[in-house]
Amino acid sequence: MGGCALALLAVLALASTALAQGLSLKPPSLANVNGRLTARFGVAVEELPILKGELDDGLELVLSCDVGLYRINDYWMDDEVASGTFVSSLGFDPLTREYVMTLSRGEPPIRDRNIKKLLDKGWGAVEVGLGSWALLDRGVKYSLRLTTSMNEKGAPDGFMSYFYFWSWSPGAENSFQLDFTY
């Protein structure tokens, strides 16, 4: 029994280093876009050859970015003011030999034979709407929090993120927090 558990851990450790993906986040900012509160950021994949190989082998991956804006409370839990999500899937079409990305903005899928160009076009500058700019009050402390995860399509949350993407080098748990006073 102990030998089986040890063998399983060894296989997971070896697989994790071979399949690990590094995501880096471009720091988020808030913008007033036609009276709408909009979070802007970018996501980049650090290990393109590994990602390319996984996609070429038939994997379809889903990037999920959760954005939340919170009013900071000094003596109690922070209050959520607004939130939004960006979801995008990435795959490979063997018939056309193109990489295909779908975005959560309802746009038609984008395609390119060059994976780097496709990633820059789709994930290089992401915008997530958070509601009306009037949600912000002057002189109040806020926190913009961004969390990203990338899993195999159809994989249960948590399990595949933990085992499939074992080590993400940038930041703690691939998140970013921006505290500011408006």
Side-chain angles (χ1 to χ4, degrees):
M1 181 78 158
C4 290
L6 186 59
L8 178 62
L9 286 176
V11 168
L12 289 175
L14 292 173
S16 67
T17 57
L19 298 173
Q21 292 295 316
L23 293 179
S24 63
L25 300 175
K26 295 177 186 172
S29 64
L30 284 177
N32 184 344
V33 179
N34 299 324
R36 305 290 297 164
L37 187 61
T38 304
R40 292 180 172 166
F41 59 93
V43 178
V45 176
E46 294 179 349
E47 300 162 6
L48 285 177
I50 294 173
L51 176 67
K52 185 179 180 311
E54 291 171 350
L55 295 172
D56 290 349
D57 288 342
L59 275 176
E60 187 170 357
L61 301 173
V62 177
L63 173 72
S64 179
C65 304
D66 296 316
V67 181
L69 180 65
Y70 297 86
R71 181 175 288 116
I72 296 175
N73 292 318
D74 293 330
Y75 301 108
W76 194 248
M77 294 178 14
D78 297 341
D79 297 322
E80 184 176 296
V81 175
S83 65
T85 302
F86 172 80
V87 178
S88 175
S89 66
L90 181 63
F92 179 70
D93 184 350
L95 294 176
T96 61
R97 307 292 301 160
E98 294 177 316
Y99 298 96
V100 181
M101 180 183 289
T102 59
L103 304 171
S104 65
R105 299 185 285 249
E107 301 169 9
I110 55 177
R111 299 171 163 267
D112 201 312
R113 289 179 183 250
N114 184 319
I115 186 71
K116 181 167 178 22
K117 287 182 183 177
L118 182 68
L119 292 172
D120 289 344
K121 190 184 315 181
W123 298 348
V126 176
E127 292 188 354
V128 176
L130 298 174
S132 172
W133 187 262
L135 292 171
L136 297 178
D137 296 321
R138 292 216 178 266
V140 175
K141 291 190 251 178
Y142 292 96
S143 178
L144 179 65
R145 300 173 189 163
L146 169 63
T147 304
T148 62
S149 64
M150 187 160 50
N151 294 312
E152 187 175 338
K153 186 174 184 173
D157 289 338
F159 179 78
M160 288 304 287
S161 175
Y162 181 72
F163 287 112
Y164 186 75
F165 295 98
W166 189 273
S167 172
W168 293 13
S169 54
E173 299 182 58
N174 217 24
S175 62
F176 190 92
Q177 180 172 329
L178 172 68
D179 295 336
F180 64 97
T181 301
Y182 175 63

